[in-house]
Amino acid sequence: MSARREGRLTLPALCRALACGALSSLELTRRCLGRLERLEPTVGAFLTLDAPGALAAAAASDRRRQAGAPLHPLDGVPYAVKDNLCTRGLRTTCASRMLENYIPPYDADAVARLRGAGCVLLGKLNMDEFSFGSTTMTSALGVTRNPLDPARVPGGSSGGAAAAVAAGELPFAVGSDTGGSVRQPAAFCGVTGFKPAAGRISRYGLVAFAPSLDCVGVLANTAADAARVYALLAQPLPAQELLPADDSGAGLSGVRVAVPPQGWGPPLSDAVGRALDRGADCLRRAGALLCTADCLPPPETALLSYVALSTAEAASDLARFDGIRFGGPARDPSALPDPAEVRGDCFGPEVKRRILLGTALLSGEFRARCYQPACLVREAVRDGFARLFGEAELLLTPTVPGGAPRADVPLSPREAGQMDLYTVPASLAGLPALSVPFGRDENAMPLGLQLVAPPGREALLFRAGAILEAAGGWLPEEVGNE
Ligand code: GLN
């Protein structure tokens, strides 16, 4: 399937067409639903589709426009959200049997913002169960394939979101990123993924994995599109400096960009090493001054810290799913369920693995031997970035150590963990980070480059991302034609 070149519409083109009446929201929504009907049997990005709700929201947007009301630029644009963001009246499962029948009575803040701006919610996207994973294969409720090669995984845990954008089923999607779950699937599917600084997008209504690391993030066709959605979701309400830099000609004159030294992390594959070199060169040609990032702790150490902290937090968060307070199968309200039975039946193997590991890490001597040192490593990572951003404005790294793996070769937890190697440092430090598609692996699948910035420099991050995208070989055709 060549979904990459066809049908991927970027937001400026869509917003212009809606604004001048060349396209109605209803037409656009019907077009997305038509494409979904054609592609979903192969891609499987959606867990729940709400066609009637989407058509009604689109018709309401068209009525607002006809009435001449002042509209948000994204009014009438279709999108979908990862199934761990609560949607009022629409099933929210976290891809788990535990929440298979859960219908939230409220919207997550991010969803409320998008609804308030008039965006059209198409439905809910597949993910790894409770966001635990790197492939979307731990989903208990469906299989998602990489639209660029259905034999390969889309990445995870926001795999449905990345696949839906890559397949051109919708112009953008909202996911969540704890250790890389927006950036990594974006890289595997050849789209752009943005994780904000900690706290910059409200987490209210996002089912927690590890609250000290969880972020709501954006997947889109371009960095400029991700910036537009971010400007709507950021809190407090968008400040001027958050708005996308519409100065694509501005370049990076004098911007200091740090690149990790040789030996930071395991040796890079040829393809990833080439992509990193070409990316650095492309930023240099745009005026950036390259330097070496030699004050960051090794990514392997950051990864161990991430595993300990995120798993400990996850084990504690998931205690609420016991069939009494939350979750479990539909049941006779007069009989009290047995929590052990409900948890045994409704959680999948990866969830159980993390609960066991996280509980152990918080118990007895492991607390002092593993959990507390992991907290210290997090501090060291934060200090390393603080020093780095005293000397440079941006960090450039690979997003992933390779392209999307095949779906038929199961990964060990260790192999899956390696995919988070370059994304977890920014998560531990709570920094904004962007993955843009850049280069190809030996199977011609996309690779990603990651940019990390200090909080407040998001506009620079998006500008540098757009420069990389233009050279990376994965932009939808239409962008070049604008
Ligand atoms: N792959 C990582 C994990 O399984 C990250 C997941 C995430 O960011 N939600 O922990």
Side-chain angles (χ1 to χ4, degrees):
M1 184 190 342
S2 74
R4 180 168 77 79
R5 288 294 175 198
E6 220 195 295
R8 276 171 57 173
L9 291 176
T10 55
L11 291 177
L14 284 180
C15 296
R16 266 200 309 273
L18 287 168
C20 74
L23 183 69
S24 72
S25 174
L26 210 48
E27 283 164 348
L28 175 59
T29 304
R30 286 209 180 101
R31 203 184 281 180
C32 289
L33 291 172
R35 197 162 166 88
L36 275 164
E37 202 178 324
R38 194 149 57 81
L39 296 181
E40 273 299 280
T42 315
V43 177
F46 278 76
L47 287 178
T48 304
L49 187 61
D50 181 19
L55 292 169
S61 167
D62 289 338
R63 281 196 299 276
R64 279 193 297 278
R65 203 173 287 279
Q66 272 151 20
L71 300 183
H72 188 280
L74 295 178
D75 200 307
V77 176
Y79 74 105
V81 300
K82 185 174 178 179
D83 211 17
N84 59 354
L85 281 155
C86 288
T87 41
R88 184 171 18 93
L90 195 62
R91 191 171 82 121
T92 298
T93 65
C94 289
S96 179
R97 297 251 167 257
M98 185 58 95
L99 289 173
E100 201 173 354
N101 306 304
Y102 176 55
I103 298 186
Y106 69 106
D107 277 333
D109 272 353
V111 175
R113 279 273 173 99
L114 291 158
R115 263 199 229 277
C119 298
V120 172
L121 179 63
L122 293 172
K124 307 300 292 289
L125 297 162
N126 201 11
M127 54 184 280
D128 281 298
E129 186 174 3
F130 282 101
S131 295
F132 301 152
S134 306
T135 57
T136 307
M137 288 181 72
T138 71
S139 169
L141 304 182
V143 175
T144 302
R145 297 185 175 84
N146 192 312
L148 305 183
D149 176 357
R152 295 180 185 276
V153 302
S157 62
S158 309
V165 175
E169 294 178 348
L170 35 73
F172 74 90
V174 176
S176 72
D177 188 311
T178 303
S181 273
V182 160
R183 291 161 283 162
Q184 183 258 43
F188 282 176
C189 289
V191 301
T192 295
F194 173 66
K195 171 202 109 64
R200 214 58 174 94
I201 299 180
S202 166
R203 283 191 297 112
Y204 179 76
L206 169 70
V207 179
F209 163 177
S212 76
L213 299 160
D214 293 339
C215 293
V216 172
V218 181
L219 295 105
N221 281 307
T222 65
D225 281 6
R228 278 184 173 79
V229 179
Y230 174 55
L232 169 60
L233 296 180
Q235 58 175 9
L237 277 169
Q240 199 52 38
E241 78 270 14
L242 291 180
L243 292 173
D246 270 333
D247 52 357
S248 32
L252 293 173
S253 181
V255 172
R256 287 159 304 168
V257 178
V259 183
Q262 287 274 348
W264 187 74
L268 300 178
S269 73
D270 286 351
V272 174
R274 239 187 344 263
L276 185 62
D277 289 347
R278 271 185 49 222
D281 197 47
C282 160
L283 296 180
R284 191 184 51 71
R285 276 185 278 117
L289 306 171
L290 300 180
C291 58
T292 306
D294 39 24
C295 43
L296 291 178
E300 295 92 334
T301 317
L303 183 60
L304 288 175
S305 160
Y306 164 80
V307 170
L309 297 174
S310 67
T311 320
E313 289 184 38
S316 138
D317 288 328
L318 292 179
R320 77 190 72 169
F321 298 106
D322 56 7
I324 299 173
R325 285 171 296 172
F326 284 99
R331 63 183 168 90
D332 166 9
S334 63
L336 209 55
D338 172 2
E341 203 177 301
V342 170
R343 286 164 72 80
D345 290 347
C346 297
F347 281 144
E350 180 63 19
V351 179
K352 289 178 185 159
R353 191 181 74 79
R354 300 219 189 187
I355 291 174
L356 291 173
L357 180 60
T359 307
L361 284 168
L362 289 172
S363 321
E365 61 178 296
F366 290 116
R367 197 181 165 84
R369 277 181 39 201
C370 301
Y371 180 76
Q372 284 162 354
C375 294
L376 295 177
V377 170
R378 166 160 30 194
E379 289 308 313
V381 173
R382 286 185 177 165
D383 290 349
F385 272 110
R387 280 206 303 282
L388 173 71
F389 289 133
E391 293 159 17
E393 278 97 8
L394 292 172
L395 170 70
L396 176 72
T397 72
T399 308
V400 281
R406 290 186 62 86
D408 56 356
V409 185
L411 299 173
S412 68
R414 206 186 134 71
E415 287 167 328
Q418 288 300 306
M419 292 182 203
D420 305 328
L421 202 57
Y422 303 117
T423 49
V424 293
S427 300
L428 288 173
L431 296 170
L434 180 73
S435 173
V436 295
F438 197 99
R440 291 165 192 271
D441 72 0
E442 48 293 343
N443 302 303
M445 291 300 285
L447 294 169
L449 288 182
Q450 174 182 240
L451 289 158
V452 185
R457 301 306 304 273
E458 287 83 356
L460 177 63
L461 195 65
F462 291 124
R463 175 145 44 99
I467 289 168
L468 287 177
E469 278 172 354
W474 290 98
L475 277 185
E477 247 161 24
E478 174 240 349
V479 175
N481 299 335
E482 265 177 43

